[in-house]
């Protein structure tokens, strides 16, 4: 990351990168604007692309497109940490959710079911349509919500909705969704992003 702050990536671009390129490039964009002032969560944790992290992280998450690591700086709890842009974080998670739905459609289209595919089963189509509706609703809510309003119950509810839709899609993927290097791993780290950067009263 650069040593000086830059203009944050536009929300639409951050969302697009998360959807089409994955978590590591999108997370790099999210953190890039903070320059040397790394944003840390209220307990002093942060999630970083592995290439940007110091040695000895708390945990490493190998993902498609590159690994991310969880780091901890206990000084941040005492000294205060620069807050992450919550609107940008939600856009990133929404982009990952869209990418998960894309993966789900592609995977189910390849699975045979009788003379057709699993994707064309009525129940599956209904669940995918419902997930798409929730994604569009979340995008509209973010468009209509001022950044200063992304606190407390509003912020918690939006993150919870992203998580809930992601889990529905993972169930549609079956065992494929829970492979260590599969889409479930990215969905897990997406949930971890909310846990790391929300205050305890917002994460409940």
């Amino acid at each position: 990351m650069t040593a000086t702050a830059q203009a944050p990536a536009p929300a639409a671009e951050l969302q697009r990168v998360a959807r089409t390129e994955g978590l590591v490039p999108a997370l790099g964009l999210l953190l890039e604007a903070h320059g040397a002032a790394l944003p840390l969560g209220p307990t002093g944790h942060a999630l970083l692309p592995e290439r940007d992290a110091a040695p000895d992280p708390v945990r490493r998450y190998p993902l498609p497109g590159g690994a991310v690591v969880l780091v901890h700086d206990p000084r941040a709890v005492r000294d205060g940490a620069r807050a992450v842009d919550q609107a940008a974080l939600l856009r990133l998670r929404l982009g990952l959710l869209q990418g998960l739905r894309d993966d789900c459609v592609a995977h189910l289209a390849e699975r045979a079911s009788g003379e057709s595919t699993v994707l064309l089963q009525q129940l599956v189509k209904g669940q995918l349509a419902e997930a798409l509706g929730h994604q569009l609703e979340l995008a509209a809510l973010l468009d209509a919500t001022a950044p200063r309003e992304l606190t407390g119950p509003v912020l918690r509810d939006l993150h919870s909705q992203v998580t809930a839709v992601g889990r529905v899609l993972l169930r549609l993927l079956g065992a494929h969704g829970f492979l260590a290097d599969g889409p479930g791993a990215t969905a897990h780290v997406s949930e971890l992003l909310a846990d790391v950067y929300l205050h305890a009263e917002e994460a409940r």
Side-chain angles (χ1 to χ4, degrees), residues 61-88:
Y61 300 89
L63 301 176
V68 298
V69 293
L70 179 68
V71 299
H72 183 235
D73 182 355
R75 294 171 300 176
V77 180
R78 182 184 68 248
D79 300 337
R82 185 172 183 179
V84 73
D85 182 336
Q86 288 293 342

Side-chain angles (χ1 to χ4, degrees), residues 74-171:
R75 294 171 300 176
V77 180
R78 182 184 68 248
D79 300 337
R82 185 172 183 179
V84 73
D85 182 336
Q86 288 293 342
L89 179 62
L90 278 164
R91 287 288 181 181
L92 187 156
R93 293 197 68 210
L94 181 56
L96 293 176
L97 184 61
Q98 291 173 322
L100 179 59
R101 184 178 179 275
D102 294 340
D103 289 341
C104 197
V105 169
H107 177 71
L108 296 176
E110 294 175 352
R111 291 191 62 198
S113 176
E115 298 181 356
S116 184
T117 66
V118 174
L119 179 63
L120 295 181
Q121 293 179 358
Q122 192 63 38
L123 180 60
V124 171
K125 289 195 296 184
Q127 289 177 299
L128 286 170
E130 185 175 355
L132 176 59
H134 282 306
Q135 289 175 15
L136 294 174
E137 181 181 0
L138 283 164
L141 284 170
L142 281 175
D143 288 339
T145 305
R148 66 179 180 277
E149 297 172 343
L150 289 175
T151 58
V154 173
L155 185 60
R156 182 173 64 248
D157 181 62
L158 289 171
H159 276 292
S160 294
Q161 289 186 55
V162 173
T163 295
V165 177
R167 291 180 180 180
V168 168
L169 292 171
L170 287 178
R171 285 196 292 272

Side-chain angles (χ1 to χ4, degrees), residues 107 111 170-180 182-184:
H107 177 71
R111 291 191 62 198
L170 287 178
R171 285 196 292 272
L172 282 173
L173 285 168
H176 177 72
F178 295 93
L179 296 175

Side-chain angles (χ1 to χ4, degrees), residues 29 37 42 50 66 79 168 189 199 203:
L29 281 180
E50 186 174 41
D79 300 337
V168 168
V189 176
H199 288 275

